[in-house]
Amino acid sequence: MRFLVLPFLISLLAIVLFANESKVCQKCHPIIFEEYYQSSHRNASVYNNPIHAAMWDAHPKDEKGYASCAKCHSPSDEKSLKQGILTRNETQVQEPISCVYCHNIKEVQEGEGSNTNILSDKHREFYTAEKGKKGNVSFKTEKSWFGLVKEPKSSPFHKINYDNENFYSGNVCMGCHSHVNNEHSFDITMLDAVISEKDENSCVTCHMPQVVGSKVSINETKTHAFHGIAGIYHMNDKMGEYIDFKVTKKAQSFDVLITNKSNHALFGQALRAGSLKATILRDGKIITLEPFVFERVLAKDGKEVMPWSANSLLKDTLIYAKKEVPFSTVLKAGDKLTLTLGVQRITEEGAKKLGLEANKEFTKFRVLKSEKFDF
């Protein structure tokens, strides 16, 4: 695509003067920005995520303030990150996890309590991944017409580093999406994520799949990585590609083997639950079976507690690599079995604890995979 350089630079300068970092990115990446703006990354702070806000309100405050939460929920706000001081500001509302922040992650430092993102100290050089483009790429143009019209071959506004392996393996996500231990050294998220070169799937391939639309306006492409973050907030049915069902019929019952092809456990976050629902169509009537619930219930002294107080488990029925679910119902010839796996952002009980029961959107059942079997 060809463009006039001077008007473009003037319009970009106007945005730089009056907008936040991510808004600047919008000029060249409009489709990606719109996806980002609706994503769980942009909606990660106390001021735009009601569940996180309710958790923070209930959390006992200490001398560290908000710093430990800000590390992953609003790392772009330096005041909350470095001083633990939480205030409503443009960064918290508009870009708690900004485009620049994620594309500046040089490496991930492993830690016992949690991992830490190490950022690059290079100005206006951002990391990304694209097959066949490893190595630093600087701005280049083809011949111009009287010096006015140019065809860009990369970015005229920043350097692009295609050489960071963390962006290819998905390890770039492990600064925040690996584990988080509370003060009792107890993991309150249990993603049990493992990054391996042998994996066919990574955080990026699953949660940022290629979708139709150009990734940049100055050099059009057919597709781009989805920046809305596929999962329980967007494209939840896309996640079914990484889940397999296998039904084994028995004399007096049947079993469902769930194979999880992702590289992390499913439904491990506090107060979250997944469910496997099963219905049988028999002789024109629908038989609804008792659903199987996948959850990790945190405890202390044998009683369920909030995440910051937990030091043990009351229950762990999560889906790790594989999970076999028994149903005590006989399958008959002619039966049509429908299996549906889904998730709630937060359980009904969790919503009550946090005072969020009025908003049914939080407890809504979101389908990840549905499949039919004939007998």
Side-chain angles (χ1 to χ4, degrees):
M1 175 184 289
R2 298 181 178 274
F3 67 102
L4 296 176
V5 174
L6 186 58
F8 187 86
L9 289 176
I10 291 173
S11 63
L12 182 67
L13 178 60
I15 293 176
V16 171
L17 292 175
F18 299 107
N20 54 48
E21 287 181 334
S22 299
K23 194 73 175 176
V24 174
C25 303
Q26 182 185 20
K27 188 63 181 179
C28 291
H29 306 279
I31 295 176
I32 286 177
F33 178 82
E34 290 303 315
E35 292 170 352
Y36 159 77
Y37 201 75
Q38 302 299 324
S39 74
S40 52
H41 282 175
R42 183 257 161 183
N43 293 286
S45 83
V46 163
Y47 300 103
N48 51 32
N49 185 320
I51 295 177
H52 178 51
M55 280 282 197
W56 171 246
D57 287 343
H59 193 289
K61 309 303 185 283
D62 57 29
E63 67 279 1
K64 295 180 182 179
Y66 188 69
S68 59
C69 299
K71 184 178 179 181
C72 286
H73 281 273
S74 56
S76 296
D77 182 6
E78 292 192 7
K79 192 171 184 179
S80 68
L81 182 64
K82 295 180 178 180
Q83 301 177 34
I85 299 173
L86 181 62
T87 55
R88 186 183 180 90
N89 55 50
E90 186 180 19
T91 300
Q92 284 285 343
V93 175
Q94 297 295 336
E95 53 170 3
I97 307 172
S98 69
C99 305
V100 169
Y101 180 83
C102 283
H103 285 279
N104 234 346
I105 298 174
K106 182 179 181 180
E107 58 185 307
V108 175
Q109 183 181 74
E110 294 185 359
E112 185 176 341
S114 65
N115 292 345
T116 300
N117 291 322
I118 306 300
L119 304 184
S120 169
D121 58 0
K122 294 183 179 180
H123 182 60
R124 301 181 75 82
E125 178 174 318
F126 303 127
Y127 299 109
T128 190
E130 187 172 338
K131 291 181 179 179
K133 285 194 175 182
K134 285 192 176 182
N136 293 321
V137 178
S138 298
F139 177 59
K140 297 178 182 179
T141 59
E142 297 295 337
K143 292 181 179 180
S144 61
W145 184 70
F146 296 110
L148 292 176
V149 180
K150 297 181 179 181
E151 184 174 351
K153 292 301 179 184
S154 56
S155 173
F157 307 110
H158 58 78
K159 290 184 178 179
I160 305 172
N161 189 321
Y162 293 97
D163 211 30
N164 190 330
E165 289 294 336
N166 293 304
F167 280 74
Y168 291 88
S169 67
N171 192 57
V172 64
C173 305
M174 291 298 98
C176 288
H177 297 283
S178 172
H179 62 286
V180 177
N181 289 357
N182 62 15
E183 63 181 16
H184 306 294
S185 299
F186 190 77
D187 187 356
I188 59 175
T189 59
M190 187 43 74
L191 279 173
D192 197 37
V194 176
I195 301 297
S196 172
E197 294 180 357
K198 298 179 181 179
D199 288 340
E200 294 182 7
N201 306 311
S202 71
C203 306
V204 175
T205 58
C206 293
H207 297 288
M208 300 182 70
Q210 290 292 313
V211 294
V212 175
S214 183
K215 63 184 175 183
V216 61
S217 60
I218 63 174
N219 191 10
E220 288 192 10
T221 61
K222 292 182 179 180
T223 64
H224 66 279
F226 179 66
H227 280 62
I229 312 301
I232 65 171
Y233 287 87
H234 303 287
M235 297 174 68
N236 45 280
D237 54 346
K238 179 76 175 177
M239 299 299 96
E241 295 181 15
Y242 309 101
I243 300 166
D244 285 339
F245 294 146
K246 181 181 178 182
V247 179
T248 301
K249 181 180 177 182
K250 297 183 176 180
Q252 299 299 321
S253 63
F254 68 94
D255 293 339
V256 177
L257 178 65
I258 303 174
T259 300
N260 172 16
K261 296 186 287 185
S262 73
N263 57 10
H264 61 80
L266 301 182
F267 319 128
Q269 292 86 344
L271 304 183
R272 182 168 292 175
S275 299
L276 179 64
K277 297 183 178 182
T279 61
I280 299 172
L281 178 60
R282 178 183 296 165
D283 299 328
K285 297 181 180 179
I286 295 178
I287 303 170
T288 302
L289 307 186
E290 184 72 22
F292 188 94
V293 177
F294 309 97
E295 60 183 340
R296 186 171 181 258
V297 181
L298 308 181
K300 182 178 181 180
D301 299 328
K303 297 181 179 180
E304 183 176 359
V305 295
M306 296 299 278
W308 46 85
S309 300
N311 60 12
S312 59
L313 290 174
L314 275 183
K315 180 182 180 183
D316 184 352
T317 56
L318 301 185
I319 303 174
Y320 292 91
K322 293 184 178 182
K323 181 76 174 183
E324 191 168 75
V325 179
F327 286 93
S328 57
T329 299
V330 178
L331 288 173
K332 299 180 179 180
D335 282 353
K336 296 183 182 297
L337 171 68
T338 300
L339 297 176
T340 303
L341 180 68
V343 62
Q344 297 169 282
R345 291 182 193 172
I346 188 170
T347 64
E348 285 84 357
E349 186 176 348
K352 288 180 182 179
K353 289 180 178 180
L354 296 175
L356 299 173
E357 62 269 33
N359 193 330
K360 302 304 179 184
E361 185 67 18
F362 299 142
T363 57
K364 177 182 175 181
F365 182 76
R366 290 168 167 77
V367 176
L368 303 179
K369 183 181 181 72
S370 186
E371 188 174 353
K372 295 183 178 180
F373 300 83
D374 294 333
F375 294 89

